Amino acid sequence: MSLIQKTIFIVLVFLAGFLVFSDSSAQQQCQLSSASWGKQTVSIGEKVIMTVNGQNCNGFWLSLNIYEDDTVDDDFLGTTQLTFTNNTQATTEIAFTQASYDLGDDVGEGSSEEIYFEAVVGSGATESKKISSILTLNQPSSGACQLSTGEWHW
């Protein structure tokens, strides 16, 4: 084999390897397609499922940033993280507490709050985001046990 043939062979092998690896890395970029709640309305303490759908997401870390929807500035309630265990869907279940309700409670909002979450995977140029639908979070219904008085007896 002549020097020119060896050079051409090495260049072709390099180009073929470059094309194979560049295509596979492009296919591995996780793209989120939807984010949703399992219910439209829950009360404090009631569990609700959060679902995020995507493509090529197996093994990717996912942040779910939870907010209370306000007219001007939304109130940040917290973040939960999970990992995609398959390429297309990640789910988790949460229950809101009175403390998380109080974080988003502003004067004059009544007995319910509108909650949404932002699903984020990746960062910088590879970041993908989706916003969920609105979940209505209600105070517990009347009849919930509340201590109104107490008395000591000796």
Side-chain angles (χ1 to χ4, degrees):
M1 207 184 242
S2 73
L3 182 60
I4 293 175
Q5 289 174 325
K6 288 180 183 178
T7 305
I8 290 173
F9 178 75
I10 291 172
V11 169
L12 289 176
V13 169
F14 176 77
L15 287 175
F18 178 77
L19 291 175
V20 167
F21 288 113
S22 66
D23 277 351
S24 66
S25 65
Q27 292 173 354
Q28 295 303 315
Q29 187 175 4
C30 176
Q31 288 296 313
L32 302 182
S33 55
S34 66
S36 60
W37 297 100
K39 300 177 182 180
Q40 293 181 351
T41 303
V42 295
S43 294
I44 292 172
E46 184 179 351
K47 293 180 180 179
V48 63
I49 293 175
M50 303 165 80
T51 301
V52 179
N53 294 304
Q55 296 175 328
N56 300 315
C57 296
N58 192 41
F60 278 81
W61 277 97
L62 178 66
S63 293
L64 305 177
N65 302 315
I66 305 167
Y67 298 91
E68 190 265 333
D69 191 27
D70 281 330
T71 307
V72 179
D73 289 326
D74 296 345
D75 297 316
F76 176 73
L77 302 182
T79 297
T80 187
Q81 293 187 319
L82 62 149
T83 304
F84 273 94
T85 55
N86 63 48
N87 281 329
T88 59
Q89 190 175 76
T91 62
T92 191
E93 185 176 62
I94 65 164
F96 291 95
T97 63
Q98 184 66 46
S100 58
Y101 184 92
D102 292 343
L103 278 174
D105 191 23
D106 295 326
V107 176
E109 286 189 321
S111 61
S112 67
E113 294 181 353
E114 294 179 329
I115 309 294
Y116 70 92
F117 67 91
E118 174 188 56
V120 181
V121 67
S123 62
T126 62
E127 183 176 79
S128 182
K129 290 183 183 183
K130 285 294 172 190
I131 304 293
S132 74
S133 54
I134 293 290
L135 172 75
T136 301
L137 176 61
N138 293 319
Q139 289 277 6
S141 59
S142 61
C145 179
Q146 292 184 349
L147 179 62
S148 58
T149 62
E151 189 175 322
W152 284 98
H153 291 279
W154 295 95

Coordinates of all heavy atoms in Angstrom, one line a residue, residues 44-113:
I44 N -54.9 20.1 50.8 CA -53.6 19.9 51.6 C -53.6 18.5 52.1 O -54.6 18.0 52.7 CB -53.5 21.0 52.7 CG1 -53.4 22.3 52.0 CG2 -52.4 20.7 53.6 CD1 -53.4 23.5 53.0
G45 N -52.4 17.8 52.0 CA -52.3 16.5 52.5 C -52.6 15.4 51.5 O -52.3 14.2 51.7
E46 N -53.4 15.7 50.5 CA -53.8 14.7 49.5 C -52.6 14.5 48.5 O -52.1 15.5 48.0 CB -55.0 15.2 48.8 CG -55.6 14.2 47.8 CD -56.9 14.8 47.2 OE1 -57.4 15.8 47.6 OE2 -57.4 14.2 46.2
K47 N -52.4 13.3 48.1 CA -51.3 13.0 47.1 C -51.7 13.3 45.7 O -52.9 13.1 45.4 CB -50.8 11.5 47.3 CG -50.2 11.2 48.6 CD -49.7 9.8 48.7 CE -49.1 9.5 50.0 NZ -48.7 8.1 50.1
V48 N -50.7 13.7 44.9 CA -51.0 14.0 43.5 C -49.7 13.5 42.7 O -48.6 13.7 43.2 CB -51.4 15.4 43.2 CG1 -50.2 16.4 43.6 CG2 -51.8 15.6 41.7
I49 N -49.9 13.0 41.5 CA -48.8 12.5 40.7 C -48.4 13.6 39.7 O -49.3 14.3 39.1 CB -49.3 11.3 39.9 CG1 -49.5 10.1 40.9 CG2 -48.2 10.9 38.8 CD1 -50.0 8.8 40.2
M50 N -47.1 13.8 39.6 CA -46.5 14.7 38.6 C -45.9 13.8 37.5 O -45.1 12.9 37.8 CB -45.5 15.6 39.3 CG -46.0 16.4 40.4 SD -44.6 17.1 41.4 CE -44.2 18.5 40.5
T51 N -46.2 14.1 36.2 CA -45.7 13.3 35.1 C -45.0 14.2 34.1 O -45.6 15.3 33.8 CB -46.9 12.6 34.4 OG1 -47.5 11.7 35.4 CG2 -46.4 11.7 33.3
V52 N -43.9 13.8 33.6 CA -43.1 14.5 32.6 C -42.8 13.5 31.5 O -42.3 12.4 31.8 CB -41.8 15.1 33.1 CG1 -41.1 15.8 32.0 CG2 -42.1 16.1 34.3
N53 N -43.1 13.9 30.3 CA -42.8 13.0 29.1 C -41.7 13.7 28.3 O -41.6 14.9 28.2 CB -44.1 12.8 28.2 CG -45.2 12.0 29.0 OD1 -44.9 10.9 29.4 ND2 -46.3 12.6 29.1
G54 N -40.9 12.8 27.7 CA -39.8 13.3 26.9 C -39.3 12.2 25.9 O -39.9 11.1 25.9
Q55 N -38.3 12.5 25.2 CA -37.7 11.6 24.2 C -36.2 11.5 24.5 O -35.6 12.6 24.7 CB -37.9 12.1 22.8 CG -39.4 12.0 22.4 CD -39.6 12.6 21.0 OE1 -38.9 13.5 20.6 NE2 -40.6 12.1 20.3
N56 N -35.6 10.3 24.4 CA -34.2 10.1 24.6 C -33.7 10.6 26.0 O -32.7 11.2 26.1 CB -33.3 10.8 23.5 CG -33.7 10.3 22.2 OD1 -33.8 9.1 22.0 ND2 -33.9 11.2 21.2
C57 N -34.5 10.3 27.0 CA -34.2 10.8 28.4 C -33.7 9.8 29.4 O -33.6 10.2 30.6 CB -35.5 11.5 28.9 SG -35.9 13.0 27.9
N58 N -33.5 8.6 29.0 CA -33.1 7.6 30.0 C -31.9 8.0 30.8 O -30.8 8.3 30.2 CB -32.8 6.2 29.3 CG -32.7 5.1 30.3 OD1 -33.4 5.0 31.2 ND2 -31.8 4.2 30.0
G59 N -32.0 8.0 32.1 CA -30.8 8.3 33.0 C -30.6 9.8 33.2 O -29.8 10.2 34.0
F60 N -31.4 10.7 32.6 CA -31.2 12.1 32.8 C -31.9 12.5 34.1 O -33.0 12.1 34.4 CB -31.9 12.9 31.6 CG -31.0 13.0 30.4 CD1 -30.9 12.0 29.5 CD2 -30.3 14.2 30.1 CE1 -30.1 12.1 28.4 CE2 -29.5 14.3 29.0 CZ -29.4 13.2 28.1
W61 N -31.2 13.5 34.8 CA -31.8 14.1 36.0 C -32.8 15.1 35.6 O -32.6 15.9 34.7 CB -30.7 14.8 36.9 CG -30.0 13.8 37.7 CD1 -28.8 13.2 37.5 CD2 -30.4 13.3 39.0 NE1 -28.5 12.3 38.5 CE2 -29.5 12.4 39.5 CE3 -31.5 13.6 39.8 CZ2 -29.6 11.8 40.7 CZ3 -31.6 13.0 41.0 CH2 -30.7 12.1 41.4
L62 N -33.9 15.2 36.3 CA -35.0 16.1 36.0 C -35.3 16.9 37.3 O -35.5 16.3 38.4 CB -36.2 15.3 35.6 CG -37.5 16.0 35.3 CD1 -37.4 16.9 34.0 CD2 -38.6 14.9 35.0
S63 N -35.4 18.2 37.2 CA -35.8 19.1 38.3 C -37.2 19.6 38.0 O -37.6 20.0 37.0 CB -34.9 20.3 38.4 OG -33.6 19.9 38.7
L64 N -38.1 19.4 39.1 CA -39.4 19.9 39.0 C -39.5 21.1 40.0 O -39.6 20.9 41.2 CB -40.4 18.8 39.4 CG -40.3 17.5 38.6 CD1 -41.2 16.5 39.1 CD2 -40.5 17.8 37.1
N65 N -39.6 22.3 39.5 CA -39.6 23.5 40.3 C -41.1 23.9 40.4 O -41.8 24.1 39.4 CB -38.9 24.6 39.6 CG -37.4 24.2 39.4 OD1 -36.8 23.7 40.3 ND2 -36.9 24.5 38.2
I66 N -41.6 23.9 41.6 CA -43.0 24.1 41.9 C -43.3 25.6 42.3 O -42.6 26.1 43.2 CB -43.5 23.2 43.0 CG1 -43.1 21.7 42.6 CG2 -45.0 23.3 43.3 CD1 -43.2 20.7 43.7
Y67 N -44.3 26.2 41.7 CA -44.7 27.6 42.0 C -46.2 27.7 42.2 O -47.0 27.0 41.7 CB -44.3 28.4 40.7 CG -42.9 28.5 40.4 CD1 -42.4 27.5 39.5 CD2 -42.0 29.4 40.9 CE1 -41.0 27.5 39.1 CE2 -40.7 29.4 40.5 CZ -40.2 28.5 39.7 OH -38.9 28.5 39.3
E68 N -46.5 28.8 43.0 CA -47.9 29.2 43.2 C -48.0 30.4 42.2 O -47.3 31.3 42.2 CB -48.1 29.6 44.6 CG -49.6 29.9 44.9 CD -50.0 31.3 44.8 OE1 -49.1 32.2 45.0 OE2 -51.2 31.6 44.5
D69 N -49.0 30.3 41.3 CA -49.3 31.2 40.3 C -49.9 32.5 40.8 O -50.9 32.5 41.5 CB -50.2 30.6 39.2 CG -50.3 31.4 38.0 OD1 -49.3 32.1 37.6 OD2 -51.3 31.3 37.3
D70 N -49.2 33.7 40.6 CA -49.7 35.0 41.0 C -49.8 35.9 39.8 O -49.2 35.6 38.8 CB -48.8 35.6 42.1 CG -49.0 35.0 43.5 OD1 -50.1 34.6 43.8 OD2 -48.1 35.0 44.2
T71 N -50.5 37.0 40.0 CA -50.6 37.9 38.9 C -49.3 38.6 38.5 O -49.0 38.7 37.3 CB -51.6 39.0 39.2 OG1 -52.8 38.4 39.6 CG2 -51.9 40.0 38.1
V72 N -48.5 38.9 39.5 CA -47.2 39.6 39.2 C -46.0 38.7 39.4 O -45.4 38.3 38.4 CB -47.1 40.8 40.2 CG1 -45.8 41.6 39.9 CG2 -48.2 41.8 40.0
D73 N -45.7 38.3 40.6 CA -44.5 37.5 40.8 C -45.0 36.1 41.4 O -45.7 36.1 42.5 CB -43.5 38.1 41.8 CG -42.8 39.3 41.2 OD1 -42.5 39.2 40.0 OD2 -42.5 40.2 42.0
D74 N -44.7 35.0 40.8 CA -45.1 33.7 41.3 C -44.2 33.4 42.5 O -43.1 33.7 42.6 CB -44.9 32.7 40.2 CG -45.9 32.9 39.0 OD1 -46.8 33.7 39.2 OD2 -45.6 32.3 37.9
D75 N -44.9 32.7 43.4 CA -44.2 32.2 44.7 C -43.5 30.9 44.5 O -44.2 29.9 44.1 CB -45.1 32.2 45.8 CG -45.7 33.5 46.2 OD1 -45.0 34.5 46.2 OD2 -46.9 33.6 46.4
F76 N -42.2 30.8 44.7 CA -41.5 29.5 44.6 C -41.8 28.7 45.8 O -41.6 29.1 47.0 CB -40.0 29.8 44.5 CG -39.2 28.5 44.5 CD1 -39.2 27.7 43.4 CD2 -38.4 28.2 45.6 CE1 -38.4 26.5 43.4 CE2 -37.7 27.0 45.6 CZ -37.7 26.2 44.5
L77 N -42.3 27.4 45.6 CA -42.7 26.6 46.8 C -41.6 25.5 47.0 O -41.5 25.0 48.2 CB -44.0 25.9 46.5 CG -45.2 26.8 46.3 CD1 -46.5 26.0 46.1 CD2 -45.4 27.8 47.4
G78 N -40.9 25.1 46.0 CA -39.8 24.1 46.3 C -39.5 23.3 45.0 O -40.1 23.6 43.9
T79 N -38.5 22.5 45.1 CA -38.0 21.7 44.0 C -38.0 20.2 44.4 O -37.6 19.9 45.5 CB -36.6 22.1 43.5 OG1 -36.7 23.4 43.1 CG2 -36.1 21.2 42.4
T80 N -38.3 19.3 43.5 CA -38.1 17.9 43.7 C -37.3 17.4 42.5 O -37.5 17.9 41.4 CB -39.4 17.1 43.9 OG1 -39.2 15.8 44.2 CG2 -40.3 17.2 42.7
Q81 N -36.5 16.4 42.7 CA -35.7 15.9 41.6 C -35.9 14.4 41.4 O -36.1 13.7 42.4 CB -34.2 16.2 41.8 CG -33.9 17.7 41.7 CD -32.4 17.9 41.8 OE1 -31.6 17.3 42.5 NE2 -31.9 18.9 41.0
L82 N -35.8 14.0 40.2 CA -35.9 12.6 39.9 C -35.1 12.2 38.7 O -34.7 13.1 38.0 CB -37.4 12.1 39.8 CG -38.2 12.7 38.7 CD1 -39.3 11.7 38.3 CD2 -39.0 13.9 39.3
T83 N -35.0 11.0 38.4 CA -34.3 10.5 37.2 C -35.2 9.8 36.3 O -36.0 9.0 36.7 CB -33.1 9.6 37.6 OG1 -32.3 10.2 38.6 CG2 -32.3 9.1 36.4
F84 N -35.1 10.0 35.0 CA -35.8 9.2 34.0 C -35.3 7.8 34.1 O -34.1 7.5 33.9 CB -35.6 9.8 32.6 CG -36.5 10.8 32.2 CD1 -36.2 12.2 32.3 CD2 -37.7 10.5 31.6 CE1 -37.0 13.2 31.9 CE2 -38.6 11.6 31.2 CZ -38.2 12.9 31.4
T85 N -36.2 6.8 34.3 CA -35.8 5.4 34.4 C -36.1 4.7 33.0 O -35.8 3.6 32.9 CB -36.5 4.7 35.5 OG1 -37.9 4.8 35.4 CG2 -36.0 5.2 36.8
N86 N -36.7 5.4 32.1 CA -36.9 4.9 30.8 C -36.8 6.1 29.8 O -36.6 7.3 30.3 CB -38.2 4.2 30.6 CG -39.4 5.1 30.8 OD1 -39.5 6.2 30.3 ND2 -40.4 4.6 31.6
N87 N -36.8 6.0 28.6 CA -36.6 7.1 27.7 C -37.7 8.1 27.6 O -37.5 9.2 27.1 CB -36.3 6.5 26.3 CG -34.8 6.0 26.1 OD1 -33.9 6.5 26.8 ND2 -34.6 5.0 25.3
T88 N -38.9 7.7 28.0 CA -40.0 8.6 27.6 C -40.8 9.2 28.8 O -41.5 10.2 28.6 CB -41.0 7.8 26.8 OG1 -41.5 6.6 27.5 CG2 -40.4 7.3 25.5
Q89 N -40.8 8.6 30.0 CA -41.6 9.2 31.1 C -41.0 9.1 32.4 O -40.3 8.1 32.8 CB -43.0 8.4 31.1 CG -44.0 9.1 32.0 CD -45.3 8.4 31.9 OE1 -45.5 7.3 32.4 NE2 -46.3 9.0 31.1
A90 N -41.2 10.1 33.3 CA -40.8 10.1 34.7 C -42.0 10.6 35.5 O -42.7 11.5 35.1 CB -39.6 11.1 34.8
T91 N -42.2 9.9 36.6 CA -43.3 10.3 37.5 C -42.9 10.3 38.9 O -42.0 9.6 39.3 CB -44.5 9.4 37.4 OG1 -44.1 8.1 37.8 CG2 -45.1 9.3 36.0
T92 N -43.5 11.1 39.7 CA -43.3 11.2 41.2 C -44.6 11.6 41.8 O -45.5 12.1 41.1 CB -42.2 12.1 41.6 OG1 -41.8 11.9 42.9 CG2 -42.5 13.6 41.3
E93 N -44.8 11.3 43.1 CA -46.0 11.6 43.8 C -45.6 12.5 45.0 O -44.7 12.3 45.7 CB -46.6 10.3 44.3 CG -48.0 10.5 45.0 CD -48.6 9.2 45.3 OE1 -48.0 8.4 46.1 OE2 -49.7 8.8 44.8
I94 N -46.4 13.6 45.1 CA -46.2 14.5 46.3 C -47.5 14.8 47.0 O -48.6 14.6 46.4 CB -45.5 15.8 45.8 CG1 -46.4 16.6 44.9 CG2 -44.2 15.6 45.1 CD1 -46.0 18.1 44.8
A95 N -47.4 15.4 48.2 CA -48.5 15.9 48.9 C -48.1 17.2 49.4 O -47.1 17.4 50.0 CB -48.9 14.9 50.0
F96 N -49.0 18.2 49.2 CA -48.7 19.6 49.7 C -49.0 19.6 51.2 O -50.0 19.1 51.7 CB -49.4 20.6 49.0 CG -48.9 20.8 47.6 CD1 -49.5 20.1 46.5 CD2 -47.9 21.6 47.3 CE1 -49.1 20.2 45.2 CE2 -47.4 21.8 46.0 CZ -48.0 21.1 44.9
T97 N -48.2 20.3 52.0 CA -48.5 20.5 53.4 C -49.0 21.9 53.6 O -49.0 22.8 52.7 CB -47.1 20.4 54.2 OG1 -46.3 21.5 53.8 CG2 -46.5 19.0 54.0
Q98 N -49.5 22.2 54.9 CA -49.9 23.5 55.2 C -48.8 24.5 55.1 O -49.0 25.6 54.6 CB -50.5 23.5 56.7 CG -51.0 24.9 57.1 CD -52.3 25.3 56.3 OE1 -53.2 24.5 56.1 NE2 -52.3 26.5 55.8
A99 N -47.6 24.1 55.4 CA -46.4 25.0 55.3 C -46.2 25.4 53.8 O -45.9 26.6 53.5 CB -45.1 24.3 55.8
S100 N -46.3 24.5 52.9 CA -46.1 24.8 51.5 C -47.3 25.7 51.0 O -47.1 26.6 50.2 CB -46.0 23.6 50.6 OG -47.1 22.7 50.7
Y101 N -48.5 25.5 51.5 CA -49.6 26.3 51.2 C -49.3 27.8 51.7 O -49.6 28.7 51.0 CB -50.9 25.8 51.8 CG -52.1 26.6 51.4 CD1 -52.9 26.2 50.3 CD2 -52.5 27.7 52.2 CE1 -54.1 26.9 50.0 CE2 -53.7 28.4 51.9 CZ -54.4 28.0 50.8 OH -55.6 28.7 50.4
D102 N -48.8 27.9 52.9 CA -48.6 29.2 53.5 C -47.5 29.9 52.7 O -47.5 31.2 52.7 CB -48.1 29.0 55.0 CG -49.3 28.6 55.8 OD1 -50.5 28.6 55.4 OD2 -49.0 28.1 57.0
L103 N -46.5 29.2 52.1 CA -45.5 29.9 51.3 C -46.1 30.7 50.2 O -45.6 31.8 49.8 CB -44.5 28.9 50.7 CG -43.4 28.4 51.6 CD1 -42.6 27.3 50.9 CD2 -42.5 29.6 52.0
G104 N -47.1 30.2 49.6 CA -47.7 30.8 48.4 C -48.9 31.7 48.8 O -49.5 32.3 47.9
D105 N -49.4 31.7 50.0 CA -50.6 32.4 50.4 C -50.4 33.9 50.5 O -49.6 34.3 51.3 CB -51.1 31.8 51.7 CG -52.5 32.3 52.1 OD1 -53.2 32.7 51.2 OD2 -52.8 32.3 53.3
D106 N -51.0 34.6 49.7 CA -50.9 36.1 49.7 C -52.3 36.6 50.2 O -53.3 35.9 50.1 CB -50.6 36.6 48.3 CG -49.2 36.2 47.8 OD1 -48.3 36.1 48.6 OD2 -49.1 36.0 46.6
V107 N -52.3 37.8 50.7 CA -53.5 38.4 51.2 C -54.6 38.5 50.1 O -54.3 38.8 48.9 CB -53.2 39.9 51.7 CG1 -54.5 40.6 52.1 CG2 -52.2 39.8 52.8
G108 N -55.8 38.0 50.4 CA -56.9 38.1 49.5 C -57.0 37.0 48.5 O -57.8 37.2 47.5
E109 N -56.3 35.9 48.6 CA -56.3 34.9 47.6 C -57.4 33.9 47.9 O -57.6 33.0 47.1 CB -55.0 34.2 47.5 CG -54.0 35.0 46.8 CD -52.7 34.3 46.4 OE1 -52.2 33.4 47.2 OE2 -52.2 34.5 45.3
G110 N -58.1 33.9 49.0 CA -59.1 33.0 49.3 C -58.6 31.7 49.9 O -57.5 31.6 50.4
S111 N -59.4 30.6 49.7 CA -59.1 29.3 50.3 C -58.5 28.3 49.4 O -58.5 27.1 49.6 CB -60.4 28.7 50.9 OG -61.3 28.5 49.8
S112 N -58.0 28.8 48.2 CA -57.3 27.9 47.3 C -56.2 28.6 46.6 O -56.2 29.9 46.5 CB -58.3 27.3 46.3 OG -58.8 28.3 45.4
E113 N -55.3 27.9 46.1 CA -54.1 28.4 45.3 C -54.0 27.7 44.0 O -54.4 26.5 43.9 CB -52.8 28.3 46.1 CG -52.8 29.1 47.4 CD -51.5 29.0 48.1 OE1 -50.7 28.1 47.8 OE2 -51.3 29.7 49.1

